Amino acid sequence: MATEPLTEQAGLQGPAAWEQEAEREHVHGLGPWRLGLRRLRRNRVAIGFGVLFVLLVLSCLAAPLWAKHVAHTTPTENHLSDTIKLDGKTTNVVGLDGVPIGPTYQGEFFLGADPNGRDIMVRLLYGGRNSLMIGVVAALMTTILSVVLGVIAGYFRGWPDLTIRSLLDIMWSFPVLILGVALGVALALGGLQLGPITIGGDSLLIPIFIIGLVYVPYMARPVRGQVLALREKEFVEAARAQGAGPLRIMFSEVVPNLASTILVFFTLLIANAVLLESALSFLGAGVRPPNPSWGTMIDEGVDRIATAPHLTIVPGLMLVLTVLSLNVFGDGVRDALDPRAKVRLEH
Amino acid sequence: MGRFIVRRVIQMVLVMFAVSVLTFLIFNVIPNSDPAVRMSGRQASESTIEAIREEWGFNDSLPQQYITTMEKVITGDLKSQFTQLSVGKEIVKGLPRTFSLAIGAALLWMFVAICFGLYSAVKAGKFADRFLTIIALIGISMPVFWIGALANYYLGFKLGWFPNGGYVEFTEDPIDWFYHLILPWTVLAILFIGFYSRVLRSNVLDTINEDYVRTARAKGLGERQIMIRHVLRNSMIPIVTLWGLDFGAVLGGGAILTETVFDLQGVGQYTAEAIGQLDVPPVLAVTMFSAFFIVLLNAVVDILYAYLDPRIRLQ
Amino acid sequence: MGKLGRRALALLLAALSMSVIAACGGDDDSGDSSGTGGGGGEAKNGGSITISQTSQPDFMDPALTYTVNGIEPLWLVYTPLLTYPRTGDAEKDSLVVPGLAEDLPTISKDGKTYELTLRKGLKYSDGSPVKASDFEHAVKRVLNLESGGSAFYLGIEGAQDYIDADKCDADIKGIEADDKTGTITINLSEPDGSFSNVLAMWFVGLVPGDTPCKNLTESPPPGVGPYKVTESVPNRQFVLEKNTNFPDLGPDIPAGHVDKITTKIVKSAQRQAQDVISGELDYMQDPPPADIKPEVKAKYSDRYKEITTASTYYMFMNNRVAPFDKKEVRDAVNIGLDKPALARLFAGEVAPGCSFLPPGQPGFDEALDVDDCPWGNPNEPPDIEKARQMIKDAGVAGADVTVYGNNDDPTDKVTEAYADQLTKLGFKAKPKILDGGVYFQTIGSAKEAPQTGFANWFQDFPHPKNFFFLVDGKSIQPTNNQNFGNVDDPEITKGIAELNQEPEMTDEVAAKWGDLNKKLVERAWIAPYGHRKLATFFSERMDFDNCARFHPVYFNDYSSFCLK
Amino acid sequence: MSVEATEPRADDGAPGDAAPLVEVEHLKVFFGIKQGILVEREVARVHAVNDVTFSVDEGETLGLVGESGCGKTTLSRAIMRLIDSTEGSLRFRGEDVTKAGRRQMQPLRREMQMVFQDPFASLNPRKRVGQIIGMPLRLHGSDRQGVEPQVRELLDKVGLHPEHVNRYPHEFSGGQRQRIGVARALALEPRLIVLDEPVSALDVSVQAQIINLLDDLQDQFKLTYLFVAHDLSVVRHVSDRIAVMYLGKLMEVSPAEELYTKPIHPYTSALLAAIPIPDPRENRRRERLVVSGEPPNPINPPSGCVFHPRCPRATQVCREEEPPLVRYPNGHLAACHHPLNVSDAEIRDAARDPSSPVSAGDSLPGTTADAA
Amino acid sequence: MADALLSVEDLRVSFATEEGVVEAVDGVSFDLAAGEVLAVVGESGSGKSVTAMTLMGLTRSPNARFEGTAQYKGTELIGASEDELRRVRGAEIAMIFQDPMTSLNPVQRIGKQIVEQIQEHEGLPDQQARERTVELLERVGIPRARERVDNYPHEFSGGMRQRVMIALALSCNPSVLIADEPTTALDVTIQAQILQRMRDLREETGAAVILVTHDLGVVADIADRIAVMYAGRIVEEGTLDQIFYDPQHPYTWGLLGSITRVDKPRPARLPAIAGLPPSLANRPQGCHFRPRCPHEFSECSKVPPLEAHVQGNPEHRDRCWLSVDEKLAKREVLPGEIGLASKEHAPA
């Protein structure tokens, strides 16, 4: 971490020979952050997708506005027997045979309706809030747990390390999705009791908890590895030589050096968490109806793929767009800051 | 090498033990509800719940409960609460299908990912690289069940290019077997291709800058030889570990979504159904089973790895 | 797994007892075919067909199976002492006739003793002779295996003692069988007007007396019936082949047409429908899924029909919990319930109605489902304004209501729609979707005290008793309660008790049940909204006109299937 | 060649005005090599530092020299109490700190500081220079406001601009960074500074600058240095005495100039001979003795004298008996059965030094030489 | 020089980096005669390694730009195609790298790595190539070479690996050997062994050597001629004795002066060059050494040419505006013994 990793990232780089010579006399070099930012800014695609992600988040946050002022409905309001004027013709929102209308591209039912006659656009935005919320909070949970565990294991070594590492190794042995599913099934009924806090089985906190947990090994292991490397750095020895205690060393010497890794992981974790949420929901072990999320919407839609393909395609595209924007942006951030961070995914 | 293998096998057994303990804890300790009630599924009477409690020993101490559970798993006495069918038998029945899916997909994704990753790395920074990068990222951004459902419906049913899901035994008709698996293989591979090609690309770029590659170049070797003998082989080593994990996961029924979408009725789909029914014993068994597969594959890969990379053996 | 696997379960398992028995095949709104065996020509014999089910039958064992997946094939393999005819005439087919018994039972005056005699010379499919004592053994298996059907046979004297003994070969005091004469005497501890129906259930289809007391799904025992099971691989397929040892039981109980029926388990209902369209499958046991149905109806109506079953879908309203403790509120819900809207969620698979008793049940009055419905014609939009006003008047507007439902398709959608309708009536309603696996258990718990929610029932046999226990004050329990709304109308409770004593279903008794039904509906104890339809869909090579017999109790009759 | 005579100095605490600042007695540092599944156990031990005894007096500079893997860096870390020693004792200004915990060390940290080898790794890249140099001050009680002027002063002392206080390490060159490292070590006005290869990562022209700086600071602040290096030519310029290590053991301890002119131990002599002289003619004149072989594995050090497998003078006794540290005139110690550059008389007068390893034999060179 | 084996003319190499364009090599010219040892000396960042590697085409990358020529036996190296270069690499010009720990492929047996090169250039059958490899390993002093040929690099110590690297470099009898800091990563006793071996081998093979190093001790040991580089340029070039005993450039003075020695009494104070090496991306105008030079004057803002100044020594060239006399006068100020020695050996 100490020397700037000159990476392969598109564009500028010196060959190995040059780096070797340059390595030792790096006068007035750029700081890792500045360098990262500069690289990132050059990566227009990544920036573009980053902006797209922000737009997606903003539009999901604006869901109530759309619902109230454009669609004139709520995410839960049924329009089973309603009709709507389309090109002057009166059309059932839901046909007698249960087939809902497709996209109208007008204010109401912009992206069509679901079998309950609910406005897909409205549900899409509200569902996005849930999906994104789960993604962000779960990623946050993973990050915090991983950093705490990784730092403790990497810094103290010995038995705390052995314990944490074994635990992570064991968790690592489970396929992400199956571990998620197992937890989902275990928690579906009674919910979770964490000390005095009880979380109901259909609470959104359950998928957050599950997703936040299953990715811990994927982040904690690299963090631990990095802490192990950092702890051998002379500046950590220097701090110890000056009498700094373990806590101070961890927080003021080690953790700041993890910042770029954390940032990279966080972005990519959100993407994976959103994706895992959809998979768990699809399997019935994630978000429980009636809470909408993109995963549950796809799950509901797949059954009507022949008569109402928009039910599957629309939330799926939204999901892909969101995850893709995070992945591209995250990839850009990684290339700019920490080219070696890797996240494994579910199947 | 012999010692290494023995050590690795002992380690594998220990990890499997730990995995079984963790699985047991997930199902019997974490939940906030009576495990007997959960286990008994739908329309259980008090007496059924009581019988299950008795059968699984939920009143006993935890270690005793663990032993009871493991006895059931190992002796194949584990039965679905829902169908009363032996979970072990059902898993065995699903294995050929799961293996067919896993092996084909794993070969496909490895092959394509190597091509993509290598090409991308060689063309780093150029248009081809950026294009492949975006393709790869799209690949890892698509939910398998979504793309699978769309492919199945549009390519399988609407256009009729492929069978509409389902599975044909290899022994019955190898060509039809292959034909039925093309879509599932492709869909499952898409995600891995995306991921592996990215990892390989970055590994290759790391390796290209290694001193020994410079040495190889200074030796006057051709670019192709350098890439294959020196760069690719060394870049592949970390990927083999990853591959072991993922291949193990898919072998062990990890491809729940793909199997379900294409109605392959392998171990994964069996799990998916059990989830839908909250049928605990199959989920417990598959969870343990798939982790065992990963642990096993991991050990195999490590041994392979020690063969590939002689440095490992000494550690 | 998405809905692919769940939807089929939904249909078949949503009912409390999971047994689905249809009635009244005449109520056929899909066209001219009445589905009788004698339509336009002669049914052809021979050939093999391949059909499909969405999920493995719960058990391939007559003593245990309690899902339509198992019953539909197995009732043709294991004929009980009494049975239902298979003639194609719906009315006739819902009346109990002698099966392996020579005649209908002789019932003692007090209604407690049933006497039957086994026909002579019967042979199981494996050639072994049928003995009178095999009946007792069949009952023993039901009781010993704690089958879901065991409750039906607890009325037999000594049944509980037998269960407590926990030994397969212990004696059931109330059953005496003489293998020489073939006489069978059954003593009940209390009279039971539906016991003949109970004796006609597949649970007690006769099996050899040495059949072990264990789940025989993987090697079903021989039985007496038009077909025998020759292969059973759980979750993959099972095969029925013609039973060459099937004795002549009279014209109303015919043998089958095709020689071999292979049933494949295909998890995706969509795939099944597509395969039936393309001819890879000849018949699907489930109705085509909502997604494919428009196409099926449009293009393949010549091999597709829908029949309303003896089932009722209703919302329970817990009258022990506010706000449904007020009659005005329950009235208002009945008025405001948008039945046609809910029917759309079933993609037309529900016939809107008001009656609790479904068509086909004695006492069913068709008028109650249409014009005589006290809450307005169920086929028309409700008077929401009126209902709103009533709720306002009752002073409960704005009350929080949690609406229970499960995640089976389309129950979840129904629940959400119902919650939305309650919201429109002035409540603050929120759906609570539980997993299908635990739903009925949860709402049957007094601790949970659910306010209102989804419920339904499919008949086990054509007797109103089979429906009325759902609203019987005596059946209220703290757990596993099936009277979800805690309905305890003194008059109705008393009426049920009295009518249960009637040994025979005379027109008079049926009319009395009808009165109870009307009272139940008028007093708004529950909010029924319709009866479920099922469908038959054949491949092109099947002879749809002559061979699609629909049985009022057991649905599609495989023994009628034939090729063109 | 005349040597500016360093006063003969008794090593074992002869009466002087000051007690030794650091005393290391029979210090051993072994690293366990752990292996195992889930539960790890020690399968082998690296004998990094193997029974070493010496002391550093106030104000002097002790050079500690040896090739990579000889244990010199481990020894310096052990003295700084950055790693635990396995056996032996460690005293700082008479106080036993062998097992001292962080609390006990805290006040002593003021007095002992360290400068590290790698100017890039020794400064936290995420912290500003001010924070880096200010950290020891903050740790020892200064408040935030009080620190900055001190930091500026320190920067000035080591030859950097005080304005650079808000810069990050990456804005400096290697030499400048090493100055920052020195400033950090100086912050608490310590008595002892352990310098771990402080110049080996620097270019020749910058090396000289840093060595000069260290020299100046020592004069200015009366510092005591423990100067660890692999390069005998660099050590020479700063050291009063030099200790030569090989495979975890002390081979020779000598006043600086005497070591270069009169190396007693064949290993020292080989080291000196191996250093190429940047003077072509001198080089051509010089007869170079190249030692063959490579240092053995410290997991399994050779028996007897650890240098015997490579030593041109090795005899049977070298394989069998570990030579004690023997005292020669001028406070010159060497652990060798077949010493160089000593007269017979000196051999006769030589005595076993108490700082010899416990496992060393008693035979002195004279006796064994006859035996050989 | 007409008889030069390798002739480099005005070589310029620049790289586009994150921090702008860096001129790593800025107009380097030298000739290498058959059998001679040319030492390229300089501190890190002086461009010495880049120069050496550029000759082999090892610095080629999309971000690099090259100007000038390098002729090897009439073949142009700088603009050569990869195929042409491949024929030269390993066979005609071979290279030894600094870090023996990373320069060998860790997952290939060392024998194979050498055989690979032999077969690439000479197409020998396996058995013959293997025999040659064993021979080579014996020649560089690896004991039990026949067994060890099948070992992996990690089974060798650093010194042994460097011997393997040398064997590898010599395997096709190259005419030019480029050794880039071959001993820097080694301990001093091992370094001595390697240097000795290199000296012996050089005599045996007669290969010309370009030795890239920062260590003047090594240079004094082995070199025939020296080129001193500073910030991308050669600032002084001459024979071993010329550079050591009659250095002309103030930077060379500083370099020689700041060396610590074990064979002479230590000076009270080390003579050091003041200031910092110039920033790589941002070098001073004119003479690059100007900011650190104690003798800087107005002329120094122009780039001094590399020319011979000392009479009668046309091969002794330097880049300094001072006249020879001025230098002689000023050099006395520097107390380095070697530099002073030149007085005794003043040009005749």
Side-chain angles (χ1 to χ4, degrees), chain E residues 13 58 90 110 120 124 172 199 224 245 252 273-274 285 308 312 317 320 332 334 348:
Chain E
V13 184
L58 295 178
I110 56 127
E120 176 71 29
L124 289 185
C172 294
R199 265 196 308 267
D224 298 324
Y245 302 115
T252 316
I273 305 175
Q285 293 287 308
R317 302 183 297 170
C320 186
E332 283 179 295
L334 274 179

Side-chain angles (χ1 to χ4, degrees), chain A residues 74 76-82 92-99 115-116 118 123 189 202 281-284 288-290 299-300 302-308, chain C residues 1-4 6-7 270 290-292 294 338 340-345 347-348 407 409-410 412-414 416-417 420-421 424 431-435 438 442:
Chain A
T74 68
T76 53
E77 195 174 353
N78 286 233
H79 301 276
L80 277 164
S81 321
D82 291 7
N92 282 328
V93 171
V94 180
L96 284 171
D97 53 0
V99 178
N116 276 55
R118 293 174 295 202
R123 280 178 73 73
L189 254 189
D202 51 0
S281 301
F282 181 78
L283 290 169
R288 316 229 124 217
D299 181 26
E300 284 164 14
V302 163
D303 264 357
R304 305 292 166 105
I305 196 164
T307 48
Chain C
M1 175 183 63
K3 290 297 154 38
L4 305 176
R6 276 214 299 271
R7 80 166 315 288
Q270 260 133 327
D291 198 26
I292 307 289
D338 190 342
L342 295 179
R344 284 189 204 207
L345 288 173
N407 59 356
D409 184 50
D412 49 355
K413 300 185 177 72
V414 171
E416 288 173 43
D420 182 53
Q421 289 174 11
K424 283 177 179 154
K432 179 172 172 130
I433 310 286
L434 301 174
D435 199 274
V438 298
T442 309

Side-chain angles (χ1 to χ4, degrees), chain D residues 67 205 209 236 279 288 294, chain E residues 157 189 245 264 266 273:
Chain D
E67 293 178 282
S205 68
Q209 293 177 2
R236 179 181 192 196
D279 185 336
R288 295 190 64 181
E294 299 185 0
Chain E
S157 67
T189 52
Y245 302 115
K264 295 275 160 68
R266 73 179 192 201
I273 305 175

Side-chain angles (χ1 to χ4, degrees), chain B residues 76-251:
Chain B
D77 191 26
L78 204 61
K79 283 199 171 73
S80 153
Q81 291 300 330
F82 183 64
T83 63
Q84 291 303 316
L85 293 173
S86 155
V87 172
K89 273 191 193 164
E90 289 304 300
I91 290 179
V92 169
K93 225 188 294 173
L95 275 182
R97 292 150 184 258
T98 300
F99 279 15
S100 298
L101 173 69
I103 293 168
L107 292 177
L108 182 66
W109 94 58
M110 247 350 216
F111 179 73
V112 180
I114 288 174
C115 296
F116 277 25
L118 206 55
Y119 191 72
S120 205
V122 170
K123 300 273 172 198
K126 301 226 175 74
F127 173 79
D129 173 39
R130 292 186 200 180
F131 179 74
L132 282 178
T133 297
I134 291 291
I135 293 288
L137 290 175
I138 290 176
I140 58 177
S141 302
M142 282 192 301
V144 171
F145 56 91
W146 182 72
I147 188 71
L150 291 181
N152 197 24
Y153 179 71
Y154 286 105
L155 302 180
F157 182 62
K158 266 289 174 77
L159 296 170
W161 293 352
F162 297 99
N164 175 25
Y167 176 85
V168 171
E169 302 281 346
F170 182 80
T171 48
E172 208 174 289
D173 185 347
I175 295 170
D176 218 18
W177 170 85
F178 186 80
Y179 187 44
H180 274 83
L181 283 165
I182 295 175
L183 267 190
W185 282 339
T186 313
V187 165
L188 181 56
I190 284 176
L191 167 111
F192 289 111
I193 290 170
F195 184 59
Y196 278 64
S197 63
R198 295 294 294 154
V199 174
L200 187 70
R201 174 185 179 272
S202 85
N203 284 354
V204 166
L205 287 174
D206 285 352
T207 313
I208 279 180
N209 284 328
E210 292 283 354
D211 287 350
Y212 57 79
V213 175
R214 188 181 58 190
T215 306
R217 201 160 277 140
K219 288 198 292 196
L221 297 189
E223 205 54 27
R224 174 184 291 268
Q225 272 173 303
I226 293 173
M227 284 317 270
I228 291 172
R229 275 197 223 150
H230 294 275
V231 177
L232 191 58
R233 182 163 173 204
N234 289 278
S235 312
M236 286 293 289
I237 289 171
I239 287 190
V240 169
T241 324
L242 214 58
W243 186 78
L245 281 171
D246 287 329
F247 184 52
V250 179
L251 274 185

Side-chain angles (χ1 to χ4, degrees), chain A residues 25-29, chain E residues 19 22 45 230-231 276-284:
Chain A
E25 286 301 312
H26 211 78
V27 188
H28 303 302
Chain E
E19 288 146 47
V22 171
Y230 184 78
L276 298 169
S279 153
L280 296 169
N282 196 7
R283 290 184 168 136

Side-chain angles (χ1 to χ4, degrees), chain E residues 285-288 290 293 295-304 320-322:
Chain E
Q285 293 287 308
C287 174
H288 286 335
R290 182 163 58 117
C293 184
H295 317 299
E296 186 239 358
F297 66 114
S298 57
E299 203 71 356
C300 296
S301 58
K302 288 182 292 181
V303 182
C320 186
W321 288 115
L322 292 169

